[in-house]
Amino acid sequence: MSFVELPSVASWRHEGARAGFEVAFFSVNDRGPRVEGTTTATEDGRSWVVDYVIQLDGSWLTRSARIAGRGAGSTVVTVIETDGRGHWQVDGVAAPHLQGCLDLDLEASAMTNTFPVHRLHLPVERPVAAPAAYIRAVGLAADRLVQTYSRSGEGHYDYTAPAFDFSCRLVYDQHGLILDYPGIATRIQ
């Protein structure tokens, strides 16, 4: 599936698992797409804010990110770097548990599910593994997330994350941005 140019801004309302909001701003520089955003939510009685700046290369591979999380009176900042071939550093330290991951997935964000569908150019009905460096909303811990995507039709992708016993059908727009992430978020702009 081919996508049209990203808009300058998009917004999502968190729903189901948490209540909140996400806004992301898109631009392209000489390295590739760049996304700057903020997501705020209350989940399980805990409120948090996550700010992010993510740099991708021209193939939609994550190359770097600066993530700041605030909650319960403290702020944590994490810097992520990767070579685009599956080698990661978190705050300047090698992260071998993320070896082979090509995408960054923020627990706080519906937007980061944009990256694999742009990068993979999936054929219809063929599941593809897309393990990701998964950054938790509270505390910003970096874990490996096993996940798969399978394009089921125009703008529709079946998504699974076995660690969470979660699967759903994601709906994307012509830009390759999520419109509907069942139980997580809905695009409002």
Side-chain angles (χ1 to χ4, degrees), residues 46-50 68-77 137-140:
R46 299 168 71 178
S47 296
W48 44 260
V49 175
V50 174
R70 293 185 301 270
S74 66
T75 299
V76 177
V77 176
V138 176
L140 305 183

Side-chain angles (χ1 to χ4, degrees), residues 87-124:
H87 303 97
W88 294 74
Q89 288 190 350
V90 178
D91 296 325
V93 177
H97 66 290
L98 302 176
Q99 178 72 26
C101 296
L102 298 177
D103 299 301
L104 179 69
D105 189 333
L106 303 179
E107 178 183 29
S109 173
M111 182 282 306
T112 53
N113 290 81
T114 294
F115 306 155
V117 300
H118 276 266
R119 180 177 62 75
L120 293 169
H121 306 288
L122 295 169
V124 175

